[in-house]
Amino acid sequence: MEQFTMIATTTFGIEAICKRELIALGYKVIKTENGKVTFLSDVEGIVRANLWLRTADRVLIQVGEFSAVTFDELFDQTKALPWGEIIPENGKFVVNGKSIKSKLFSISDSQRIVKKAIVESLKETYSVDWLEETGADYTCQVSLLKDIATITIDTSGGALHKRGYRVKSVTAPLKETLAASLILLSFWNKDRVLYDLFCGSGTIPIEAAMIGRNIAPGLNRDFASKHWDIIPNEVWKEETRKAYQAIDHDAEIKIFASDIDENNLRCAEENAQEAGVEDCITFKVSDFKDMWLENDYSIIISNPPYGERLEDEAGVRKIYHNLSYKFKNMDTWSKYFITSYKEFEKAFHEEADRKRKLYNGRIETWYYQYYGPRPKRETIE
């Protein structure tokens, strides 16, 4: 079976998590760089990656990579790539572009040159004078970094954080891929109780429930490559069937999600129903200060309000101070908070065991991780 060089793009800071996902799915990872993980895959693997990756933004086929400092070099080397092996005669394609620290700094010119090269290559391949472009979509990209051109085709279509369950949203929602990353970076597993005291539209608890139930995040959405000739429809049907069979319907997941805003809770409940995990999550309208918590080795993963969403800095500090008081005697808990507020540890009155820089969209945030002890039964196992 033909092997493709693939790229899973990610938000900066979670490349290592995406790499772990790819290895767990059985892929050979070639290299990990800022914002992307390169791996090898066959056509079945293209389907599997789109269905199963929780932390990747997109899955791309790397058609070619080469040095280019002139437009003639960019045209000639792009034209020489095997476009006809992927794009059919009637394929509809656009070319996006970006350029960083490269002599070919004009993005629009680079896009135009690559588009022309692909057209000429396909015309020669199919022995035609013009291309109809009435078929499936093929989104190509020329990415120039330090004079190295990477030419790709997007197999995902819409970004992978669009799982298909978000029927209702709230202001400044957490991206699904980031929420999944927060969970995979934590001590949480399906046998431990999870709380989110600032659940918003429910992204963290829903992603956790999907992980606990082993629900493939891409089951409820479409993909660009689902309409491509190179991937038989039978492959999509088989990989989708396997994904449904892999769901652990018997897992007893205990997740508690609360928010002070009733509208947020209604949104979260509807999203959980759409994701098929409403039975895993107990929702409650409540101020976090009023939630009853037991010192029972539970875990909290939360995205509390911070500067970009709450203009009153004194209000932000007060929330974090009250949060600290809430967990003052919860010495068996593991606590995880993501915020852009740089004085979080000071306001929370506790230095994190580890903090990791992550991005929520374009907002620079920090993930503060406080490691509590593992339950005795986990230690024994």
Side-chain angles (χ1 to χ4, degrees):
M1 187 68 71
E2 183 180 0
Q3 289 278 303
F4 296 92
T5 299
M6 308 294 300
I7 296 174
T9 64
T10 73
T11 301
F12 288 109
I14 61 176
E15 299 89 352
I17 314 167
C18 184
K19 177 182 177 180
R20 290 205 302 265
E21 282 197 278
L22 287 164
I23 292 172
L25 288 170
Y27 298 99
K28 180 180 179 181
V29 173
I30 299 174
K31 59 182 176 180
T32 303
E33 304 167 273
N34 286 339
K36 65 180 185 178
V37 183
T38 305
F39 63 102
L40 297 178
S41 173
D42 54 19
V43 291
E44 286 85 358
I46 293 174
V47 176
R48 202 174 305 123
N50 277 293
L51 285 172
W52 281 101
L53 287 177
R54 301 182 189 278
T55 61
D57 291 327
R58 296 181 183 277
V59 177
L60 314 175
I61 295 176
Q62 179 179 299
V63 187
E65 188 170 78
F66 49 82
S67 173
V69 295
T70 69
F71 286 125
D72 285 341
E73 288 180 338
L74 181 62
F75 177 87
D76 291 340
Q77 295 189 78
T78 299
K79 183 183 176 184
L81 296 174
W83 294 103
E85 294 180 5
I86 302 174
I87 302 178
E89 183 178 344
N90 69 340
K92 180 172 58 177
F93 59 95
V94 297
V95 178
N96 298 323
K98 58 183 179 180
S99 179
I100 301 174
K101 298 180 180 179
S102 296
K103 293 181 177 65
L104 300 180
F105 58 84
S106 172
I107 297 173
S108 59
D109 286 337
S110 297
Q111 291 174 246
R112 178 177 54 81
I113 292 295
V114 169
K115 172 79 175 184
K116 182 179 178 181
I118 297 173
V119 168
E120 293 304 313
S121 175
L122 291 175
K123 284 166 62 176
E124 290 184 7
T125 298
Y126 297 112
S127 301
V128 296
D129 294 327
W130 63 285
L131 302 171
E132 293 183 357
E133 294 196 51
T134 58
D137 291 319
Y138 296 80
T139 301
C140 308
Q141 177 168 281
V142 51
S143 176
L144 292 154
L145 176 62
K146 297 180 180 179
D147 298 326
I148 300 297
T150 303
I151 313 292
T152 60
I153 302 178
D154 181 11
T155 73
S156 301
L160 293 179
H161 78 271
K162 298 177 180 179
R163 314 289 207 215
Y165 65 71
R166 195 189 289 277
V167 292
K168 291 288 182 69
S169 189
V170 299
T171 303
L174 197 68
K175 284 179 67 174
E176 292 84 341
T177 45
L178 179 56
S181 301
L182 303 183
I183 296 155
L184 295 174
L185 283 168
S186 76
F187 283 166
W188 185 78
N189 61 56
K190 63 183 180 180
D191 297 320
R192 299 187 70 173
V193 179
L194 176 66
Y195 284 80
D196 182 0
L197 303 182
F198 306 89
C199 74
S201 58
T203 312
I204 291 174
I206 291 171
E207 289 293 320
M210 291 178 68
I211 291 171
R213 282 273 168 87
N214 199 36
I215 299 173
L219 273 179
N220 292 325
R221 54 158 290 166
D222 194 15
F223 302 95
S225 53
K226 196 170 184 177
H227 309 280
W228 292 2
D229 292 347
I230 64 168
I231 306 179
N233 190 46
E234 290 73 21
V235 173
W236 282 99
K237 288 182 177 179
E238 178 62 13
E239 292 300 327
T240 301
R241 182 188 66 80
K242 290 179 181 177
Y244 275 112
Q245 287 185 332
I247 298 174
D248 184 0
H249 295 283
D250 298 324
E252 296 184 6
I253 312 296
K254 291 185 179 181
I255 300 174
F256 296 89
S258 63
D259 198 283
I260 196 171
D261 189 302
E262 184 174 357
N263 180 61
N264 286 354
L265 256 292
R266 300 293 81 81
C267 291
E269 288 179 326
E270 290 189 41
N271 292 338
Q273 290 171 5
E274 190 68 21
V277 294
E278 69 273 16
D279 61 320
C280 300
I281 308 168
T282 300
F283 291 99
K284 184 177 182 180
V285 178
S286 175
D287 188 306
F288 74 92
K289 298 189 298 295
D290 300 326
M291 284 289 290
W292 172 255
L293 306 176
E294 294 184 5
N295 195 21
D296 58 356
Y297 297 92
S298 292
I299 290 176
I300 177 172
I301 304 176
S302 269
N303 175 34
Y306 46 85
E308 283 72 11
R309 292 186 294 164
L310 204 65
E311 294 180 358
D312 180 8
E313 185 174 337
V316 172
R317 289 199 303 270
K318 184 176 181 180
I319 288 174
Y320 297 160
H321 172 77
N322 289 334
L323 196 57
S324 172
Y325 183 79
K326 184 75 174 177
F327 286 95
K328 184 177 181 180
N329 297 314
M330 300 293 183
D331 55 349
T332 67
W333 280 59
S334 294
K335 307 178 289 288
Y336 302 86
F337 304 104
I338 182 170
T339 174
S340 69
Y341 188 62
K342 295 182 178 180
E343 300 295 323
F344 175 82
E345 289 169 298
K346 185 177 180 180
F348 191 64
H349 307 297
E350 185 178 356
E351 186 175 341
D353 293 302
R354 182 174 181 180
K355 60 181 180 179
R356 182 188 294 255
K357 184 194 292 187
L358 300 172
Y359 284 85
N360 184 14
R362 296 183 178 181
I363 302 173
E364 180 182 291
T365 64
W366 290 91
Y367 190 38
Y368 295 91
Q369 304 171 65
Y370 298 88
Y371 304 141
R374 293 181 182 272
K376 292 181 180 180
R377 65 179 184 278
E378 291 189 6
T379 303
I380 292 173
E381 292 173 359

